[in-house]
Amino acid sequence: MTKAEIFEFFRRLAEDNPDPQTELEYGNAYQLLVAVTLSAQATDVGVNKATRALFARVQTPQQMLDLGEDGLKEHIKTIGLFNSKAKNVMAMARLLVDNFGGEVPSTREELVTLPGVGRKTANVVLNCWFGQETFAVDTHIFRVGNRTGLAKGKTPDQVETKLEKAVPQPFRLGAHHWLILHGRYVCKARTPECWRCPVVDLCRFKQKVLEPPKGR
């Protein structure tokens, strides 16, 4: 896409949804960090169902340690990979208490030292809580970036680098939310709903689905 097309791409998404937000539910930076960690290979809806009761009880890393790993597993057992995620969340809580005074650090370099926290998770926390212009490339953004021609890459890191260079102001802070939501609800993996896409004419995808399948 050209610079003018990229600007128009985000302008339309922003017009559709002026204040995009993550669909994960949380009350503070620590709860956001836990929710994003739990959301790997799981849906936000599923994570929210599991964390509502958990977050009513746990607001801090110390409270997570007090709950204990078995107690945490009881809350998150409906989430995929809950055993390994519980181990990571407990180890993360211990490190936050011991090394960061119970506070969530505000740099990517520090965040990725925490168990279970990779670059994508760190980018979500930096964007959603600390208001930093980061691009957390999940499966939706990877697909949308490649399919539309907005940011092509063979790996999430490559797509992130392309987005970092391509996305203009004033769209940088909300860009990854718009792309995730667009991928989740319109530019779907199996059947992209091009017939109702606000940026269909800017998209480079050759196999556009311009009419809904029969029965829809």
Side-chain angles (χ1 to χ4, degrees):
M1 286 190 197
T2 65
K3 285 185 178 181
E5 287 172 330
I6 292 171
F7 188 94
E8 180 63 12
F9 182 98
F10 283 106
R11 188 199 68 75
R12 292 184 198 174
L13 294 183
E15 189 175 54
D16 255 14
N17 183 4
D19 186 29
Q21 302 288 335
T22 176
E23 293 185 318
L24 290 171
E25 297 171 3
Y26 60 94
N28 60 29
Y30 176 62
Q31 291 181 340
L32 172 62
L33 178 61
V34 171
V36 180
T37 302
L38 295 175
S39 73
Q41 298 178 49
T43 65
D44 288 1
V45 171
V47 172
N48 290 338
K49 283 181 181 177
T51 56
R52 282 178 193 133
L54 174 65
F55 288 165
R57 182 170 177 179
V58 173
Q59 291 90 45
T60 67
Q62 185 57 58
Q63 289 174 338
M64 186 67 79
L65 293 174
D66 295 342
L67 177 65
E69 189 172 324
D70 289 341
L72 173 59
K73 285 181 181 179
E74 267 308 301
H75 283 282
I76 67 169
K77 62 188 177 184
T78 55
I79 298 175
L81 307 175
F82 74 94
N83 280 313
S84 60
K85 288 177 180 179
K87 282 185 168 55
N88 281 334
V89 169
M90 298 309 297
M92 178 201 300
R94 172 51 61 199
L95 215 60
L96 286 170
V97 168
D98 290 350
N99 295 359
F100 296 99
E103 299 294 324
V104 175
S106 60
T107 70
R108 185 186 291 117
E109 292 72 23
E110 291 174 311
L111 282 167
V112 296
T113 66
L114 300 171
V117 178
R119 186 179 180 90
K120 183 183 76 173
T121 296
N123 281 345
V124 174
V125 173
L126 292 173
N127 181 277
C128 295
W129 188 260
F130 294 105
Q132 297 183 25
E133 295 170 356
T134 58
F135 304 89
V137 179
D138 69 349
T139 56
H140 296 300
I141 293 184
F142 185 77
R143 180 176 67 256
V144 171
N146 277 287
R147 184 183 274 171
T148 62
L150 173 68
K152 284 180 171 275
K154 293 182 178 178
T155 67
D157 284 352
Q158 288 178 1
V159 171
E160 181 184 341
T161 300
K162 293 273 182 70
L163 289 171
E164 184 68 51
K165 291 178 181 175
V167 179
Q169 294 292 9
F171 308 115
R172 292 178 66 81
L173 186 61
H176 100 263
H177 293 299
W178 282 309
L179 293 173
I180 286 173
L181 295 170
H182 189 63
R184 187 173 287 162
Y185 297 113
V186 180
C187 196
K188 298 177 181 179
R190 290 187 180 176
T191 307
E193 298 182 3
C194 309
W195 65 88
R196 63 183 193 90
C197 174
V199 292
V200 65
D201 56 311
L202 303 171
C203 174
R204 298 293 194 261
F205 188 49
K206 291 178 180 176
Q207 293 86 42
K208 291 188 173 81
V209 184
L210 296 175
E211 291 185 8
K214 289 181 180 178
R216 297 189 68 156

